[in-house]
Amino acid sequence: QRVLQAAKDCGTPGVTGAMAASALAGHLVELRGALASPPAAATAPSAPRPAPARAPEARPEEVVSLELPAVAPPTTRGRDRRATMTSLSADAGDSLIRVSRNAVEKLTDVLDRSALGLGRRERELKSLAELHTLAQEAAGLAAPQRRLGGSDDGALEALRQRVRDVEVGLRQVTAAMTRDVEAERIVSAQLRGTVRELRTVPATNLSDVLRRSARETAGRVGKNVRVDVRGEHQRLDRRIVDVMREPLLHLMRNAVDHGVEAPQTRLAKGKPAEGTITFSVELRGGRMLMELSDDGAGLDLARIREKAVERGLYERRELEGLSDAEVARVIFQPGFSTAAQVTQLSGRGVGLDVVESTVLSMGGTVSVSHVPGQRTTFRIDLPRALGALLGLVLRVGAHRMVVPNDSVLRLRRVTRGELTVVAGRPMARFGEQWLPFVSLARLLELTADRLPLESDEPTPVLGIVAESKVVAFAVDELSDQQELIVHPLGRHVKEARHLLGAALLNDGVVVPVLQPAELIELAERQAQGLVAEAPRPCVLVADDAFTTRAAIRHLLEIAGYRVLVANDGEEALRVLRERTVDLLITDLQMPKLDGAGLTKRVKADPQLQHTPVLVITAQDSAEDRAVGMEAGADGYLVKRDLERGALVARVRQLIGERS
């Protein structure tokens, strides 16, 4: 209890990190001494006594083993404190103690919350530094008054002295708080790192279970398999191990049942009769990679297509348009199975979809790859630890949200010249690479401050990566990085797959945490028209010059509009009567029917008269403006303004968009 109370003090206002660390260290020394010093009665043999009937036996899952040095209780007989601490640190022996898992979880949660208190103090320190700067400026403004006044007024001199005293005091307090906050940051990081180590377990906790499952499954189906494990020395977050145990067991059973062939079949193919399944664990920075691979026949894509149609998951023509990699991902669809009959091992309609949903719920991704006739590999990418993450805070319109930092490939501001359209899809230049470009406001149907290319300012863009796919997302502002605690959203918002959870920022605001893999998947499906999206405004561009039409279409498509084109006024009028158009952009000088004539006909037609008309021309004379406005145009724009970003802003104004 004293250990937990000391940890809680880390987040208490007025208690510095050094004070809390000292108290916590003292309690830990007492605890270790008590654990290492058994009761006197335990040293002598005695007859076994029955346990009290009301003392419940601790369940295995509620107790964890921790590695702590086994030390003798500190004494003072002929030894000073320094000698005592030296003897404690010199003891290299390790032993295991058993403590409640709930205690470890509570202690971890308290330390995570103390980080939020540290963030608040850092913000207060920043405000104090700003006050110090203001005091310095005030002192500088007060000093010249003596020269300007011509005489030294006593009240003014007293004011100057007060300002100087305030400035000196603020400087001293700021310096002291800076030292305290820095010391607290270091101690907090050490404490959190140490306590999180208590929640790690060796990878053998997983590998042993997987080996046993492989042997049992192989015995049931009459196959010979060998399991190779790589990375058993790694230590993993206990919560991840607990959550991933069942999904990995399902993948292992699938590898034995569906992946590895029967011994006779393998021998006929020139393979060893014994199949090999490889399970590997690798830690890379803040991520953990797991791979489970078998040397079997690979995925049968033809059978996957057949079963997908048979179970009503896809139409046959839909599958024909999918690549082999996309067809392979069909196995993650709910209810999908290629098993001919239901058994205890397969064909029950649940499995890989549960694996994927479990991985996604922890902020990870799962993918599958295969080599026909040789290998199938499942790759799982997870955070190294659950609960806390380093997040990038961004703003989209009035909304703030967080993206996990380890999923951000690059941050930059993209200019108009670094945006283009390829096959109808906007692209952004990132170094030597062109990436799909998506407005995050459009994707999430939020209100944005401005659309891409609406002003001369570069657009803030972050490149998000997941499963080797990278997409550039445009936002309104990139704020800062914060270490946050992610809380699950519960079953009521489980359909919002693009949300990983919610977190509390340092300023006390609750924000959503985005799921990178689902954002990319949503962007791709929306680009392919596979998901419904908010209707995008449609703009008709009428101009006889191909280069002008292409330039206007290029700019508007990047901004998220649907664009139709016409070569002259007559074709534009025909399109207007056949299609629903939100805005007409027309040149003044065109063959067959010029822009003024087209505008007059549109405004005279009862069905079209409410369609806004924007006239774009190379001429900027008062006469040209008068021609367009007299015809009934709602706006006038010179072609050279297209390069200054005025087009998108004018279009948005005329259409009356709010997002």
Side-chain angles (χ1 to χ4, degrees), residues 109-168:
D109 184 63
V110 168
L111 289 175
D112 284 341
R113 294 181 184 279
S114 72
L116 297 179
L118 177 60
R120 287 192 295 270
R121 284 186 285 279
E122 290 176 342
R123 188 174 67 256
E124 293 164 358
L125 178 59
K126 183 179 179 181
S127 300
L128 186 60
E130 293 174 353
L131 288 175
H132 177 224
T133 302
L134 291 175
Q136 284 181 313
E137 295 175 355
L141 291 173
Q145 298 302 318
R146 180 171 183 174
R147 297 191 300 271
L148 295 176
S151 61
D152 188 6
D153 183 82
L156 183 58
E157 179 61 28
L159 175 62
R160 286 199 297 268
Q161 185 60 43
R162 286 292 184 90
V163 172
R164 285 195 295 269
D165 292 344
V166 170
E167 189 272 330
V168 171

Side-chain angles (χ1 to χ4, degrees), residues 407-471:
S407 66
V408 179
L409 179 65
R410 188 176 178 185
L411 302 172
R412 62 168 306 184
R413 293 182 178 273
V414 175
T415 61
R416 186 178 299 109
E418 296 172 308
L419 296 175
T420 188
V421 176
V422 177
R425 187 172 189 183
M427 307 289 286
R429 186 181 184 88
F430 265 55
E432 301 298 322
Q433 187 179 13
W434 287 93
L435 301 179
F437 178 77
V438 179
S439 168
L440 191 57
R442 290 265 187 204
L443 185 67
L444 301 181
E445 300 181 10
L446 301 175
T447 300
D449 285 354
R450 61 188 177 93
L451 298 174
L453 303 180
E454 190 172 346
S455 68
D456 293 332
E457 298 180 3
T459 302
V461 174
L462 60 157
I464 295 181
V465 59
E467 297 183 8
S468 302
K469 299 177 183 177
V470 187
V471 174

